[in-house]
Amino acid sequence: MISYGSSIDIVSMQEKASTLVEALPYLQKFAGRKVVVKVGGEVLKSEEMVENIARSLILLRSTGIQVVVCHGGGPQISEMSERLGLPPRYVNGNRVTCSQTRDVMVMTMLGTIAPALIGSINKVLPCCVGISGIDSNMISVVQADPELGYVGLVDRVKIEPIEQLLHSGYLPVITPIGIDSEGQLYNINGDTCAASLAKALGAEKLILLSNIEGIYESFPNKESLISEIDLPTLKKLKEQGLFSGGMLPKVNGICDALEGGVSSAHILDGRQPFSLLLEVFTTSGIGTMIFP
Amino acid sequence: MISYGSSIDIVSMQEKASTLVEALPYLQKFAGRKVVVKVGGEVLKSEEMVENIARSLILLRSTGIQVVVCHGGGPQISEMSERLGLPPRYVNGNRVTCSQTRDVMVMTMLGTIAPALIGSINKVLPCCVGISGIDSNMISVVQADPELGYVGLVDRVKIEPIEQLLHSGYLPVITPIGIDSEGQLYNINGDTCAASLAKALGAEKLILLSNIEGIYESFPNKESLISEIDLPTLKKLKEQGLFSGGMLPKVNGICDALEGGVSSAHILDGRQPFSLLLEVFTTSGIGTMIFP
Amino acid sequence: MISYGSSIDIVSMQEKASTLVEALPYLQKFAGRKVVVKVGGEVLKSEEMVENIARSLILLRSTGIQVVVCHGGGPQISEMSERLGLPPRYVNGNRVTCSQTRDVMVMTMLGTIAPALIGSINKVLPCCVGISGIDSNMISVVQADPELGYVGLVDRVKIEPIEQLLHSGYLPVITPIGIDSEGQLYNINGDTCAASLAKALGAEKLILLSNIEGIYESFPNKESLISEIDLPTLKKLKEQGLFSGGMLPKVNGICDALEGGVSSAHILDGRQPFSLLLEVFTTSGIGTMIFP
Amino acid sequence: MISYGSSIDIVSMQEKASTLVEALPYLQKFAGRKVVVKVGGEVLKSEEMVENIARSLILLRSTGIQVVVCHGGGPQISEMSERLGLPPRYVNGNRVTCSQTRDVMVMTMLGTIAPALIGSINKVLPCCVGISGIDSNMISVVQADPELGYVGLVDRVKIEPIEQLLHSGYLPVITPIGIDSEGQLYNINGDTCAASLAKALGAEKLILLSNIEGIYESFPNKESLISEIDLPTLKKLKEQGLFSGGMLPKVNGICDALEGGVSSAHILDGRQPFSLLLEVFTTSGIGTMIFP
Amino acid sequence: MISYGSSIDIVSMQEKASTLVEALPYLQKFAGRKVVVKVGGEVLKSEEMVENIARSLILLRSTGIQVVVCHGGGPQISEMSERLGLPPRYVNGNRVTCSQTRDVMVMTMLGTIAPALIGSINKVLPCCVGISGIDSNMISVVQADPELGYVGLVDRVKIEPIEQLLHSGYLPVITPIGIDSEGQLYNINGDTCAASLAKALGAEKLILLSNIEGIYESFPNKESLISEIDLPTLKKLKEQGLFSGGMLPKVNGICDALEGGVSSAHILDGRQPFSLLLEVFTTSGIGTMIFP
Amino acid sequence: MISYGSSIDIVSMQEKASTLVEALPYLQKFAGRKVVVKVGGEVLKSEEMVENIARSLILLRSTGIQVVVCHGGGPQISEMSERLGLPPRYVNGNRVTCSQTRDVMVMTMLGTIAPALIGSINKVLPCCVGISGIDSNMISVVQADPELGYVGLVDRVKIEPIEQLLHSGYLPVITPIGIDSEGQLYNINGDTCAASLAKALGAEKLILLSNIEGIYESFPNKESLISEIDLPTLKKLKEQGLFSGGMLPKVNGICDALEGGVSSAHILDGRQPFSLLLEVFTTSGIGTMIFP
């Protein structure tokens, strides 16, 4: 067998070489470090996006990064609640999680969303194991507000189960459910949970993958997409009331994680293939990076 | 501070001493060995029974036995299917698991039953972690019969995740869901699954806790309750058509486990408090013991 | 082979279950902890008692407790001295240990008593190894009183030889002989020696097995047998002159051990079968317990 | 601090992503594997090339590959021989290595070339340690031909010193000098030596970096540059007399290495920056690859 | 402070150097190997000899040799028997060990001889621990001859206790007492016991220290002292009836040890200071060496 | 086979025994400790001396001492410089090391002297590996004096490479070449370098082997050869101007090493066979010993 190399494209080769020279130092920098990736509920609705993310997660992990995934599931929970005849209830404009809704949330998160995501990752490489705050009472919560019912604030994260799964070579997927001192289960916001995990694990990076490109200073002006911002500036924008809705827990979680020692936080567009890899292995990165 | 021992009851003391002298040798015999306990769906319906079982499991584990739990959930799945408007369908008298029913089964097992059992055990000691055949593709199945839909036969058990949880000091609770080579999820009978786990793990004992006292040679004659039976005799009874309904997978699983090297199998009444302890730590045992 | 369980005694089963539920938590509490058991010379005279104690020691050890035994031998030494024509000598009412008596003591303890006790334990399980304060100069002593001759007070215990025997899975039997800085051998009171060992080893319990039921506040009134007493109260009784004879070194050793960090001390009747097990594995215990 | 991401080049990003997706699987494939790189004497004459190669070697090593370097030095030896007044001598057209020439060879290789290469690598990262076949009698040789003097054929490679340097995190540079059973030093061809090292170390790859682009089937026809060839075809070309001069030991070494279990061998142009990286981390590779 | 070296004796220095050059290779040869030294009862009677032997043993051990000591005690036992009024009894000219004599033997060996020897060694360095065949049932015996009573033949040596003492850095002194399957204690000849230990431990050397210079071919002709003899020749001399009395068990033990894999056996004069060191660290050795 | 020991020389035996008794305690004292031996350039010129030293080094190492060798090479460098037409140049009477001379020094040290010494040691036992200050930038230097060119003062020694070679069982030979922060190579005086190594390694002894018998208080008066001197007295002699030429760096290095924690320093006559052994293993030692 013999083949000839007539068609080598020198320019393309040099570009590849330069991408490699750019990427390889990050390999060593991040090898053995932990990265917490939150995958949002909206992104999980598209099978194609989930496949892309699954491949990116496995590639990330193959470089020696200790990847921990936390998932959301808002849209799916709303759908199942409706199907089971549980209309949303509100107090002062805030949605209330009654015990029945909480049971539906737990059931949907652990029984539908988590197995689907775990299954997708395991199709690429069978290394993914799912656990939740219930396992070994891993995530302790306190009630956020009695009027809102079973909505929990993370009080303490026991990282041993995650550390041991990582140590045994597994990619852990964490479902954001907490448990209070009485053994009651609580809903936790996925972004908040991911931030608490990143802080507790001493992660290098917290990456929030959702269906937005990053933080816009004046949405929807494309030019105002922020590529880098430091924590004090982000806090100033927050005080100016720039953030609302689902952006608020993201920003709060990022502030919490960075103040807790995480080196950088990132809001990336999960719809863009391989955005995870570009963020981690290129100098310019992608989406919005927040640093301390 | 001083108190006097006037009220010592010598007889009771001697009985205690004799129970201890009887029990302690089993401690050494079983320390470090694995015991797989299947907790049936009917038993799981009573909160009080679950609490008792949870305490027994933690006491067993405290003696150095490596306890692995597998759970059932038939009644709960039927209830949720009905609630979601999925009436049972039959082919030649056998129930069919269509993909919708399978989804409800997965959702109920992972999202309702497993968290409830894990929560009960963790209330006694927070050491319990739940995983299923989906995690790390742990339990591979093949389809039992195309006409029955998503009903799986265990093909291979990858014991590493269970071994690593045990090694890290956790009590693993396994939900009997399998995955085929395409990544499709399947229902597995809980008794069969427990037997496969016991065989794959090289367990010392397989214990099936349900709402029956053991095997009756001629039910409901109380005198005919079998306390000990060997495998050849059990097989003879099976050939004579003694077993039917839910007893059949129990007996088949037990045969499979004993032939695969498990030292003994037990059918115990989960409604009797501490039946687990009496089985393991007394010479006469309780329920029906089957040995090779 | 088949047998039927007609004769199960539910009440007895429940009592066994409750003894197990009572005992198992102690297993975990004491597993890996050290317990020093002094076996008195009077108890050693009865072959039957020694057999019972040997079985209890092996059962205790089988639960993961690190058992260390220290033995006495007063009656046996007196007998041999007489046989060799060495009449006891006294100074101010205290017995004097001249060098010849010391040689007889060493010879009897190491050459007759220790091998008999070791042999009895090894008949149950061949795991027992005997050493004395001479080995590796393990127990350094200073002379108690020049007038009393070769009677030593423990100065320092080098625990390495005991730790290494335990680590290798042996049950060490320690003969209470000490060595001074000149290499001279000395007699040490067995209770005192056991207490020094318990302190040096950081033992959980010090158990003195002899031919008495415990401490009586007003002997021989059976009602006055103390079941529990704390250290300050014991010291008060001692100051009131309650203790004399062989009870004095027991009480002094117990005070020393408890002040040195041992969690509890016990005076048990070695003539009662399995008193050791009842003490360790029941809530009410047996004999007299002294705690700090 | 805030910056905006207006200038992101989507096409370039996608190309980078695709290079990463292409490269990352090789990372896992080669992590922990050994790669032997021979750096030819001609390449060593250019300081710029040496710098480029040093950076590539350190980047390779940063991915977890165990890099072992072997160097040449023909032109430098000739120069020093001349300077010391040792004109080359020939027998039947073959150059003779007399003991004086051998001394100059050893002196130049160990005293000039090796320290220069080691120094260049250590400027990038101080991790490089140089050893030769003399150290610990690592490379045993037999004389190739008495008429040619001190030219050795590798008889046995003791890999421990190299393994231990790798294990301690060093990048070993091996100077190709051998020692016979009498303790006499011998010149070894650098390509042959690299091949012997690759075989002995069970290397994944043998890479020969020199001043040629690869193997040409009919030099200098650019179209005839072979990109891939299997061992049988290479041997056929060799039998047809295609190879001569410095190409012959390269081809012989490659045959020897591949037959000894090395997975692939490569002839690369050391003058092209980062050719090492492109070879290892791209699917198409560069230069000529020979596989078994 | 300053001092001048005017008085260096060159000749003495060269002799010292040559002794060191002779001795050092044995250090490496024997480091980590086991040497079993039997110290005879006659030698133990002289305090000065015991001190010399103790120093030699500690020096031997300091070179990394794993020294195991076994002791005799015939004269001492006879003395104590007499003192306790137990006259020797004979059957067919062989001394009988009745149970009373056996008890005196055990008492004397464990209670008088062993502590004295251990004490002497510990005065040099406190590293010596004494055990006997009773400990952990280490030396199993069968009765030699029912008519002779409690005289045992070694059946099996459980080497773990000795290995563990060595591993923990102790110098074990073994008292030659055995135990039969009923738990009865037996007298074992010290030379035979040492040989069995050497064989079981895979010792490099068996050294018998007693009050003779070695084996004489025709005693008391000084010229006939054998310095080296191989096993076949020794056996021939034995068949010719050369050996009797205490020499017979020595020769039998040596034959047994050499056939069991011990590299050499030695009969040395324990009365000569440092004969142990001269045997181990000089080329010519001392006493009689027997090799396979 | 049989031989008789008629010719044993008791006196010689006793002398050997006494040498052993003298030497063995040093074995334990120095086992595992590090000893740095500098071998001077003059000594290296005699093949016979090198052979003797090689044997001594291997014998030393066989006792468990961690031997590290540093070599000189002054005469050899001068010879090669001359041969290459580089006449010595002086500034204010001090020899200048221009870059060409430095290159010749590096080439001669690494390419001629080190391989010869390593080869001689490996002939005795193939355990020797040579490294220099260049390897892993092990020895950092600063320029001593710009006018003197490439003459370096040791700034920092990175001991890891030496420790790892020792740990892997090799005898390291260190060539005294240093590297500055720019990557430039520098000549370092061999005695100074050996002293810096001894200090950095926490060596027990620094031994300078050269062609002198030790320090003379008034050379050449033989009576004035100093056998022992303490550091303060040595410094006083130095202040009095007693030392000049090659003796000055020796004395300075010794002062530096002793102040840095080395226990003793020695100047020995490398021409006397086995002076190394006599120094280490006899009480009186040889040559001049300097202690703190």
Side-chain angles (χ1 to χ4, degrees), chain C residues 83 107, chain E residues 76-77 80-82 84 86 99-109:
Chain C
R83 199 169 152 203
M107 188 175 73
Chain E
Q76 295 86 341
I77 293 168
M80 179 58 74
S81 295
E82 215 162 288
L84 287 166
L86 285 168
S99 81
Q100 280 180 305
T101 313
R102 188 261 329 258
D103 290 352
V104 170
M105 180 277 297
V106 170
M107 189 175 72
T108 311
M109 292 290 263

Side-chain angles (χ1 to χ4, degrees), chain D residues 21-75:
Chain D
V21 171
E22 183 184 341
L24 294 182
Y26 291 110
L27 278 177
Q28 234 188 352
K29 183 171 173 198
F30 296 136
R33 306 299 319 258
K34 296 192 188 81
V35 168
V36 174
V37 180
K38 155 79 194 310
V39 187
E42 308 77 16
V43 176
L44 290 169
K45 288 196 295 189
S46 151
E47 212 164 294
E48 193 197 335
M49 285 184 211
V50 171
E51 271 174 32
N52 255 316
I53 290 171
R55 284 183 63 201
S56 291
L57 289 168
I58 292 300
L59 283 169
L60 258 196
R61 181 180 164 281
S62 77
T63 68
I65 291 176
Q66 299 197 299
V67 178
V68 174
V69 172
C70 181
H71 67 83

Side-chain angles (χ1 to χ4, degrees), chain E residues 123-176:
Chain E
K123 266 191 197 160
V124 186
L125 193 83
C127 65
C128 182
V129 168
I131 57 175
S132 78
I134 301 169
D135 290 302
S136 186
N137 290 357
M138 184 170 71
I139 305 178
S140 310
V141 297
V142 293
Q143 195 174 38
D145 176 347
E147 296 207 37
L148 299 183
Y150 294 92
V151 174
L153 297 177
V154 176
D155 182 42
R156 205 175 60 80
V157 177
K158 201 168 102 180
I159 60 171
E160 287 82 2
I162 302 175
E163 295 272 14
Q164 279 151 356
L165 286 173
L166 289 171
H167 181 77
S168 300
Y170 297 112
L171 192 164
V173 166
I174 315 297
T175 299

Side-chain angles (χ1 to χ4, degrees), chain A residues 33-36 194-207 231 253-266 290-292:
Chain A
R33 307 300 318 258
K34 296 193 188 79
V35 169
V36 174
S196 296
L197 291 170
K199 193 167 81 169
L201 289 163
E204 179 71 23
K205 285 173 184 286
L206 166 65
I207 299 177
L231 187 58
I254 284 170
C255 292
D256 185 37
L258 292 184
E259 282 165 353
V262 175
S263 302
S264 66
H266 305 265
I290 307 95
F291 57 91

Side-chain angles (χ1 to χ4, degrees), chain B residues 12-28:
Chain B
S12 139
M13 272 300 170
Q14 281 170 351
E15 268 168 20
K16 282 187 174 190
S18 103
T19 299
L20 288 170
V21 171
E22 184 184 339
L24 293 181
Y26 292 109
L27 278 176
Q28 235 189 351

Side-chain angles (χ1 to χ4, degrees), chain B residues 1-6 8 10 13 15-17 19-25 27-28 55 59-63 217 223-230 233 237 272-274 277-278 281-282 284-287 291, chain C residues 1-6 8 10 13 15-17 19-25 27-28 55 59-63 217 223-230 233 237 272-274 277-278 281-282 284-287 291:
Chain B
M1 181 271 156
I2 187 160
S3 67
Y4 303 92
S6 52
I8 285 178
I10 291 293
M13 272 300 170
E15 268 168 20
K16 282 187 174 190
T19 299
L20 288 170
V21 171
E22 184 184 339
L24 293 181
L27 278 176
Q28 235 189 351
R55 283 184 63 202
L59 282 168
L60 259 196
R61 181 180 164 281
S62 76
T63 68
E217 194 165 0
E223 303 286 302
S224 76
L225 178 62
I226 296 169
S227 69
E228 282 186 43
I229 184 168
D230 62 10
T233 315
L237 294 184
Q272 167 122 6
F274 304 115
L277 297 185
L278 290 168
F281 292 117
T282 65
S284 60
I286 194 169
F291 56 91
Chain C
M1 181 271 157
I2 188 161
S3 68
Y4 303 91
S6 51
I8 286 179
I10 292 292
M13 273 300 169
E15 268 168 20
K16 283 188 172 189
T19 299
L20 288 170
V21 171
E22 184 184 339
L24 293 182
L27 279 176
Q28 233 187 354
R55 283 183 63 202
L59 282 169
L60 259 196
R61 181 181 164 280
S62 77
T63 69
E217 195 165 0
E223 303 286 302
S224 76
L225 178 62
I226 297 169
S227 68
E228 283 185 44
I229 184 168
D230 63 9
T233 316
L237 295 184
Q272 168 124 4
F274 304 115
L277 297 186
L278 290 168
F281 293 117
T282 65
S284 59
I286 194 169
F291 56 92

Side-chain angles (χ1 to χ4, degrees), chain A residues 1-5 13 15-16 22-23 27-28 62 217 225-230 233 278 284-285 291, chain D residues 1-5 13 15-16 20 22-23 27-28 62 217 225-230 233 278 284-285 291:
Chain A
M1 180 270 156
I2 188 162
S3 67
Y4 303 91
M13 274 300 170
E15 268 169 19
K16 283 187 173 189
E22 184 183 339
L27 278 177
Q28 233 187 354
S62 77
E217 195 164 1
L225 178 62
I226 296 169
S227 68
E228 284 187 43
I229 184 169
D230 62 12
T233 315
L278 289 169
S284 60
F291 57 91
Chain D
M1 180 269 156
I2 188 161
S3 67
Y4 303 91
M13 273 300 171
E15 268 168 20
K16 282 187 173 189
L20 289 170
E22 183 184 341
L27 278 177
Q28 234 188 352
S62 77
E217 195 166 0
L225 178 63
I226 297 170
S227 69
E228 283 185 45
I229 184 168
D230 63 11
T233 315
L278 290 168
S284 60
F291 57 91

